[in-house]
């Protein structure tokens, strides 16, 4: 049996290090401006490659790598990013189109193949971390402007006139008279020219597309079933494969008890053992699934107990207990002032343990992957992914090829939220390669929803212990937090990328809060989960801002302060945050905590703030209790990403992040018992449906601060705003999500 | 051999009788606009019209289809109401990842065929399709818009 390539820090980090990016924390990634992108990037030569290092490419600069201008004046944009709902294809077309002088509506955008040109996120390539627009904005503008300049020069040379007499108009080079040459007629000559490295960018005051609510390029295709996802791909002669994974992660198939039964079922081609799974290949996926699920498999035994692997007695309650009872000394994550003395002199001390469960991504498109070995020995793959070069390098290693011999297609994603990074056994593409090798045919592996629930990499179950000291005047004087757990950044990219001993993806949202609490002491203890953990929309912020902002309201209550007013006081020296807080107050019709009466029912409001991914949010939620459960009526969100590209898409993203944040706050929990996951599909893992969707009111504030992220930041403020509203209504501070676990009197 | 009528055309398919309609549409006929999401009729990504009613095709065995008139998202713009729904979806910029939207559009079309002017509460009752991007409010706005 072939082993899968283990993708852990050891596999991923060399890809980063090879280009000299060491010690690259998220913060550092964020801080790298476009000007710093001189690195060769995450080149397609992985560690396994024997190829000489290619000539260094300055990512984002070679026009032909990004733009294909057809003779019919059609425009195809090869994007460094993959579209998964966040609107990046439209946004990138707006940015390039603005400077190229082509209406973005004319662009066809697809995710570019692997290549050094596309390493535009701090010298590497990924679609994640809400990095896409902010990391590539300047670069993509410059690319568009550079291309336009080349087209003008090509026309000038052809006409033998000075370039200064020419200008452009929506895909044409024009002069002062009636001359009008389509870009498409000039492209070949233009691309042969040496690009200028000092082109002038457009004055933002004259923008036609950037900062405008340009319609998404993909809505019609997505409203008529024409958009093609990985699951919709088909290649000539392919077999369909369905799999059954081990019930306990880490165990292996030992014996097939009834192999002949599966072999005898209609359409079955073959039965296969895979690492941690069994598979059936057949002439249709439905037949493959029927057969693989008929297979009775004897699996190896997991360890009896412990946390080094998923054990026979592993449970989410056991690991939570272990996190809570850890007595290991923590690494310092933040330390300001004298916390010890402040607690000694405090008028009041409060303590609280906060926890959040494992979560699945639950994207509607189940993972699939096609692998095909071509006649020339190349491996061609269609696979959902957020890091093409990393997937390419893993595929190459598994197939025993150089990365150049792996052709990778990255179709649009039917939702991702962090699902399609490389997570070891949690992606199907390695199975597709092994099965294509075994059968000598192209193979499409598709995981049933149940297999996806078994294998999805999860948002880590998380725990933090809070202590707060309140002075005689009711003001918080000190806060102390101990976080025990593990973040995905350290797991998948190593300590060097995640910020050293303190994994930034485990403590973000607890450290560097804007409030002027003079004494702060935050510590982090790494406790490795035996399960596959993941990036999940807004990552550490997804639980940590809930922890911190909910505890903030506990401190406010302890000091008899209104939580909105207390935030205002503690943000007196933070004009950006203060403005956002006041904006959300106004947006909601003026702050009122309640409880107050609406149509005979009591309601209340809660407020929260978060600083995720270089952006800022302030959120207010209004709730009531209906039939013992929390009902959210309205969410008001003031959102400051510094500056924006498309206000309509930004608004959609904030709405979407709010919905997912609310889904997690109200309903979601993936629990383990006896080594197995207790959820199998949407019937026993409820996600937000229409009946629980509140009104969402979004106001965008452009403070002019450096551009922040958009896709994720709307999420973290939701759970604390809701929980704080529930506290205002019921007097109960809920410290464990989801709220569905707490029952309230009617 | 089973004969089914899809988008006004008859197809003969050689499959086991319990095969769900979804997989015949997707893998046998290549009509991949209809999506697989959960396989247990929870999410609605596989919604098609069977004699004008919204049906979750992942749980409909092909031998129960008979001579019913099956309409999929591929034929949506040939339907007068379907066309209005699509225009409203574009106008309201409903889709994000888009994966659930074929099913949402089919369910909305079925709703408007039966109830040309649905209230919010009618929409809540009829539109139970899941959307992980949380486009529910825009779906509702688009249905109101399509209703005129």
């Amino acid at each position: 049996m072939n082993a899968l390539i283990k993708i852990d820090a050891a596999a991923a980090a060399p890809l980063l290090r090879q280009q000299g990016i060491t010690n690259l924390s998220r913060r550092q990634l964020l801080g790298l401006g476009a000007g710093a992108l001189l690195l060769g990037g995450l080149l397609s030569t992985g560690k396994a490659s024997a190829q000489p290092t290619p000539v260094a490419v300055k990512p984002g600069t070679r026009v032909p790598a990004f733009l294909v201008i057809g003779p019919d004046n059609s425009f195809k944009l090869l994007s460094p990013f993959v579209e998964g709902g966040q609107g990046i294809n439209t946004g990138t077309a707006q940015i390039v189109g603005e400077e190229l002088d082509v209406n973005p509506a004319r662009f066809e955008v697809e995710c570019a193949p692997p290549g050094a040109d596309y390493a535009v996120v701090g010298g590497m390539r990924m679609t994640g971390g809400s990095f896409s627009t902010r990391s590539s904005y300047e670069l993509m503008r410059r690319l568009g402007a550079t291309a336009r300049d080349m087209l003008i020069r090509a026309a000038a040379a052809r006409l033998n006139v000075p370039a200064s007499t020419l200008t452009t108009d929506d895909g044409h080079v024009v002069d002062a008279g009636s001359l009008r040459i389509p870009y498409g007629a000039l492209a070949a000559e233009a691309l042969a020219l040496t690009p200028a490295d000092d082109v002038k960018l457009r004055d933002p005051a004259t923008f036609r597309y950037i900062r405008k609510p340009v319609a998404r390029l993909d809505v019609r295709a997505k409203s008529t079933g024409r958009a093609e996802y990985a699951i919709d791909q088909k290649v000539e002669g392919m077999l369909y494969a369905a799999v059954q994974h081990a019930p306990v992660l880490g165990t292996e198939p030992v014996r097939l008890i009834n192999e002949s039964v599966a072999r005898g079922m209609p359409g079955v081609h073959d039965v296969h053992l895979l690492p941690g799974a069994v598979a059936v290949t057949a002439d249709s996926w439905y037949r493959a699934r029927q057969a693989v699920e008929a297979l009775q498999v004897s699996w190896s035994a997991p360890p009896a107990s412990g946390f080094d692997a998923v054990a026979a007695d592993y449970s989410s309650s056991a690991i939570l207990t272990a996190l809570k009872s850890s007595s290991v000394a923590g690494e310092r994550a933040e330390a300001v002032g004298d916390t010890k003395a402040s607690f000694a002199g405090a008028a009041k001390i409060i303590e609280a343990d906060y926890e959040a469960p494992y979560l699945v991504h639950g994207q509607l498109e189940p993972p699939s992957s096609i692998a095909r070995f071509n006649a020339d020995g190349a491996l061609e793959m269609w696979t959902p992914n957020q890091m093409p070069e990393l997937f390419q390098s893993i595929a190459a290693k598994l197939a025993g090829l150089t990365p150049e011999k792996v052709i990778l297609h990255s179709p649009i994603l039917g939702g991702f939220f962090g699902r399609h990074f490389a997570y070891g056994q949690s992606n199907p593409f390695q199975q597709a390669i092994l099965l294509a090798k075994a059968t000598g045919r192209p193979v499409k592996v598709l995981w049933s929803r149940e297999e996806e629930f078994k294998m999805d990499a999860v948002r880590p179950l998380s725990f933090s212990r809070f202590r707060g000291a309140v002075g005689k005047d009711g003001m918080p004087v000190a806060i102390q937090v101990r976080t025990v757990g593990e973040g995905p950044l350290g797991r998948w990219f190593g300590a060097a990328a995640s910020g050293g001993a303190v994994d930034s993806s485990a403590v973000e949202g607890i450290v560097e809060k804007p409030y002027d609490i003079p004494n702060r002491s935050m510590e982090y203890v790494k406790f490795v989960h035996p399960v596959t953990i993941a990036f999940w929309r807004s990552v550490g912020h997804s639980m940590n801002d809930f922890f911190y902002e909910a505890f903030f309201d506990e401190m406010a209550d302890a000091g008899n302060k209104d939580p909105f007013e207390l935030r205002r006081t503690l943000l007196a020296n933070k004009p950006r945050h203060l403005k956002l807080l006041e904006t959300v107050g106004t947006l909601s019709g003026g702050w009122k905590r309640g409880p107050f009466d609406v149509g005979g029912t009591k309601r209340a409001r809660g407020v929260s703030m978060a600083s995720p991914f270089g952006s800022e949010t302030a959120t207010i939620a209004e709730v009531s209790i209906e039939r013992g459960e929390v009902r959210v009526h309205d969410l008001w969100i003031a959102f400051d990403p510094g500056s924006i590209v498309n206000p309509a898409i930004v608004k959609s993203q904030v709405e979407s992040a709010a919905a997912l944040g609310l889904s997690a706050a109200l309903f979601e929990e993936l629990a383990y018992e006896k080594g197995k996951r207790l959820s199998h599909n949407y019937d026993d893992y409820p996600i937000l449906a229409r009946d629980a969707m509140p009104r969402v009111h979004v106001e965008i504030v452009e403070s002019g601060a450096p551009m922040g992220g958009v896709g994720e930041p709307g999420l973290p403020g939701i759970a604390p705003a809701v929980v704080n509203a529930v506290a205002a209504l019921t007097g109960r501070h809920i410290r464990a999500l989801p709220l569905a676990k707490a029952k309230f009197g009617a | 051999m089973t004969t089914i009528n899809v988008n006004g055309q008859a197809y003969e398919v050689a499959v086991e009788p319990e095969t769900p309609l979804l997989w015949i549409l997707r893998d046998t006929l290549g009509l991949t606009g209809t999506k697989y999401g959960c396989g247990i009729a929870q999410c609605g990504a596989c919604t098609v019209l069977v004699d004008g009613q919204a049906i979750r095709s992942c749980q409909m065995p092909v031998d129960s289809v008979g001579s019913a008139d099956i309409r999929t998202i591929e034929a949506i713009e040939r339907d007068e109401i379907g066309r209005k729904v699509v225009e409203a979806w574009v106008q309201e910029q409903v889709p994000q990842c888009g994966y659930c939207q074929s099913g949402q559009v089919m369910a909305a079309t079925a709703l408007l065929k039966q109830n040309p002017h649905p209230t919010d509460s009618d929409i809540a009752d009829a539109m139970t399709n899941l959307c992980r991007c949380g486009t529910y409010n825009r779906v509702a706005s688009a249905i109101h818009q399509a209703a005129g």
Side-chain angles (χ1 to χ4, degrees):
Chain A
M1 194 188 314
N2 285 295
L4 295 186
I5 300 298
K6 190 168 181 288
I7 308 98
D8 56 13
L15 286 167
L16 305 177
R17 274 204 290 276
Q18 155 186 338
Q19 300 306 326
I21 305 175
T22 52
N23 261 341
L24 193 64
S25 71
R26 285 156 74 83
R27 182 155 314 289
Q28 288 168 305
L29 267 176
L30 180 74
L32 284 177
L37 299 170
L38 298 170
L39 303 153
L42 195 59
L43 295 174
S44 55
T45 47
K47 193 184 174 192
S49 169
Q51 299 284 309
T53 306
V55 177
V57 168
K58 189 174 169 184
T61 61
R62 290 201 302 191
V63 172
F66 292 85
L67 269 179
V68 182
I69 304 175
D72 56 347
N73 222 23
S74 62
F75 295 86
K76 185 198 258 189
L77 180 59
L78 294 168
S79 168
F81 308 108
V82 64
E83 175 63 59
Q86 78 278 42
I88 192 62
N89 281 0
T90 306
T92 307
Q94 283 176 261
I95 298 166
V96 174
E98 183 70 67
E99 297 288 352
L100 180 62
D101 199 2
V102 173
N103 188 325
R106 293 154 160 272
F107 279 95
E108 179 196 340
V109 186
E110 64 181 50
C111 185
D117 286 291
Y118 309 108
V120 300
V121 180
M124 57 184 275
R125 180 184 184 185
M126 66 166 170
T127 304
S130 294
F131 273 126
S132 302
T133 303
R134 57 180 163 145
S135 66
S136 66
Y137 178 73
E138 288 293 333
L139 218 49
M140 290 296 110
R141 278 184 69 190
R142 195 158 290 284
L143 183 95
T146 303
R148 175 175 174 268
D149 173 71
M150 290 157 83
L151 289 156
I152 289 175
R153 283 192 283 133
R158 186 192 284 186
L159 302 168
N160 200 17
V161 299
S164 58
T165 63
L166 301 174
T167 184
T168 57
D169 176 40
D170 191 14
H172 297 77
V173 175
V174 299
D175 68 0
S178 59
L179 177 79
R180 198 171 168 83
I181 312 175
Y183 285 180
L186 294 162
E189 291 149 72
L191 292 177
L193 297 172
T194 305
D197 56 10
D198 59 348
V199 290
K200 199 166 169 289
L201 298 185
R202 218 179 160 85
D203 175 0
T206 69
F207 281 170
R208 290 89 22 104
Y209 308 122
I210 295 176
R211 303 191 68 242
K212 301 291 188 287
V214 168
R216 288 183 61 129
L217 302 179
D218 52 0
V219 284
R220 188 169 293 274
K222 287 177 172 177
S223 303
T224 52
R226 291 199 295 269
E228 284 191 11
Y229 303 81
I231 197 173
D232 303 323
Q233 312 292 323
K234 192 172 188 174
V235 302
E236 190 65 30
M238 81 182 182
L239 289 166
Y240 294 83
V243 291
Q244 181 191 154
H245 290 95
V248 178
L249 184 73
T251 61
E252 297 292 340
V254 176
R255 195 168 66 86
L256 298 174
I257 295 158
N258 61 343
E259 186 175 348
S260 60
V261 172
R263 283 189 182 282
M265 289 174 70
V268 169
H269 176 82
D270 208 346
V271 176
H272 312 264
L273 295 184
L274 292 170
V278 294
V280 168
T281 44
D283 63 359
S284 83
W285 186 75
Y286 181 74
R287 285 171 160 176
R289 183 182 182 183
Q290 294 300 104
V292 84
E293 292 183 355
L295 274 177
Q296 293 174 291
V297 186
S298 166
W299 301 93
S300 65
S305 200
F307 294 110
D308 292 338
V310 180
D313 66 349
Y314 184 74
S315 69
S316 28
S317 59
I319 192 164
L320 181 62
T321 303
L323 300 182
K324 285 183 174 181
S325 56
S326 158
S327 57
V328 175
E331 298 282 345
R332 179 187 296 174
E334 183 170 314
V336 175
D338 187 342
T339 316
K340 207 170 174 186
S342 312
F343 274 95
K348 205 172 196 177
I349 292 173
I350 59 168
E351 294 185 350
D353 284 0
Y354 276 83
E355 62 187 69
Y358 290 124
L359 299 176
V360 300
H361 295 90
Q363 80 295 339
L364 258 281
E365 182 195 6
S368 65
S369 202
I370 296 176
R372 178 177 72 188
F373 286 94
N374 294 337
D376 64 356
L379 167 62
E380 191 161 2
M381 305 211 60
W382 290 258
T383 194
N385 75 86
Q386 297 176 240
M387 284 185 82
E389 288 75 13
L390 181 58
F391 278 65
Q392 182 194 43
S393 105
I394 295 164
K397 209 167 165 185
L398 182 65
L401 298 169
T402 58
E404 290 74 15
K405 296 291 267 181
V406 177
I407 303 160
L408 182 74
H409 304 274
S410 306
I412 62 167
L413 305 171
F416 61 124
F417 322 116
R419 174 64 183 93
H420 297 299
F421 282 106
Y423 296 125
Q425 290 191 49
S426 293
N427 310 89
F429 74 105
Q430 295 199 59
Q431 294 176 342
I433 296 169
L434 296 177
L435 293 170
K437 250 187 174 174
T439 58
R441 301 258 300 264
V443 173
K444 176 185 191 172
V445 176
L446 166 62
W447 288 358
S448 69
R449 177 60 59 186
E450 288 79 3
E451 293 304 315
E452 168 67 346
F453 261 89
K454 227 190 253 178
M455 293 306 290
D456 186 12
V458 292
R459 195 284 301 272
L461 176 147
S462 304
F463 162 74
S464 286
R465 177 164 291 153
F466 286 74
R467 291 182 78 217
V470 177
K472 284 195 191 71
D473 58 358
M475 295 300 288
V477 291
I479 181 167
Q480 204 173 37
V481 188
R482 177 178 164 86
T483 299
V484 186
E486 188 188 6
L489 206 51
R491 167 81 66 105
W492 299 110
F493 294 96
S498 64
V502 176
D503 186 333
S504 59
S505 66
V507 298
E508 57 193 5
I510 287 176
V511 298
E512 294 173 16
K513 294 291 285 190
Y515 305 115
D516 188 13
I517 298 175
N519 304 286
R520 309 187 291 277
S521 167
M522 280 62 163
E523 63 173 11
Y524 169 64
V525 177
K526 182 168 180 171
F527 191 111
V528 174
H529 291 248
V531 306
T532 313
I533 62 167
F535 299 93
W536 191 92
R537 198 173 192 171
S538 81
V539 196
H541 288 282
S542 70
M543 67 282 176
N544 287 337
D545 283 295
F546 154 58
F547 294 173
Y548 188 105
E549 291 287 314
F551 186 72
F552 186 100
D553 273 34
E554 293 203 48
M555 288 197 292
D557 279 359
N560 279 319
K561 301 283 186 195
D562 175 84
F564 188 91
E565 293 306 326
L566 181 61
R567 282 178 175 82
R568 183 138 69 180
T569 305
L570 295 175
L571 293 172
N573 298 318
K574 298 283 169 58
R576 187 182 180 192
H577 298 88
L578 195 58
K579 181 181 178 193
L580 208 58
L581 183 64
E582 284 172 351
T583 301
V584 79
T586 306
L587 183 65
S588 66
W591 168 249
K592 54 171 182 178
R593 193 181 189 201
F596 47 84
D597 191 276
V598 176
T601 309
K602 287 265 179 278
R603 294 189 187 181
R605 293 184 183 179
V607 63
S608 73
M609 302 198 71
S611 311
F613 306 94
S615 294
E616 299 290 341
T617 70
T619 306
I620 290 176
E622 179 172 312
V623 309
S624 65
I625 303 293
E626 285 181 12
R627 291 180 294 279
E629 289 175 357
V630 174
R631 174 152 199 93
V632 179
H633 299 275
D634 291 271
L635 293 168
W636 293 272
I637 304 165
F639 177 53
D640 174 11
S643 62
I644 61 167
V645 170
N646 186 322
I649 291 177
V650 170
K651 190 164 176 283
S652 299
Q653 283 302 292
V654 175
E655 291 169 359
S656 166
L660 190 57
L662 185 61
S663 188
L666 293 178
F667 306 118
E668 297 184 34
E669 173 175 31
L670 182 80
Y672 279 84
E673 256 180 39
K674 294 186 175 145
K676 295 178 190 169
R677 295 180 175 185
L678 299 187
S679 298
H680 311 85
N681 205 322
Y682 296 120
D683 55 345
D684 54 12
Y685 186 97
I687 63 172
L688 186 82
R690 165 175 307 284
D691 59 358
M693 185 72 195
R695 288 177 292 267
V696 182
H697 319 266
V698 179
E699 182 161 338
I700 299 168
V701 174
E702 286 188 89
S703 61
M707 191 181 274
V710 167
E712 297 169 274
L715 193 147
I718 303 301
V722 169
V723 163
N724 289 340
V726 169
L729 185 63
T730 66
R732 284 173 62 191
H733 290 278
I734 302 299
R735 296 164 177 164
L737 294 182
L739 282 161
K741 289 200 293 192
K743 290 294 162 204
F744 300 90
Chain B
M1 212 57 109
T2 311
T3 303
I4 55 173
N5 295 303
V6 181
N7 299 334
Q9 204 177 324
Y11 295 90
E12 287 205 340
V13 291
V15 294
E16 289 72 60
E18 75 278 7
T19 306
L21 176 61
L22 169 66
W23 295 107
I24 292 165
L25 295 174
R26 287 186 56 81
D27 288 351
T28 312
L29 306 185
L31 299 172
T32 54
T34 305
K35 301 304 185 198
Y36 167 58
C38 69
I40 58 167
Q42 283 279 315
C43 77
C46 65
T47 305
V48 298
L49 302 189
V50 177
D51 289 337
Q53 303 276 331
I55 296 291
R56 295 190 174 177
S57 63
C58 72
Q59 284 287 310
M60 185 172 217
V62 68
D63 68 351
S64 70
V65 172
S67 59
D69 177 25
I70 299 160
R71 297 282 157 169
T72 71
I73 189 74
E74 282 82 0
I76 193 66
E77 289 174 292
R78 283 188 251 148
D79 182 283
E80 194 190 336
I81 292 171
R83 202 160 50 238
K84 280 185 189 164
V85 171
V86 168
E87 290 311 316
W89 246 246
V90 172
Q91 189 65 35
E92 290 291 317
Q93 296 277 296
V94 175
Q96 291 191 24
C97 91
Y99 194 77
C100 73
Q101 298 297 346
S102 295
Q104 303 272 10
V105 166
M106 298 312 286
T109 302
L111 168 62
L112 291 174
K113 279 178 187 290
Q114 280 141 36
N115 181 353
H117 296 284
T119 62
D120 282 335
S121 148
D122 296 336
I123 292 171
D125 290 344
M127 296 295 296
T128 56
N129 301 39
L130 296 176
C131 173
R132 193 59 163 164
C133 303
T135 63
Y136 300 117
N137 293 339
R138 285 175 193 250
V139 164
S141 303
I143 291 173
H144 284 306
Q145 193 186 315

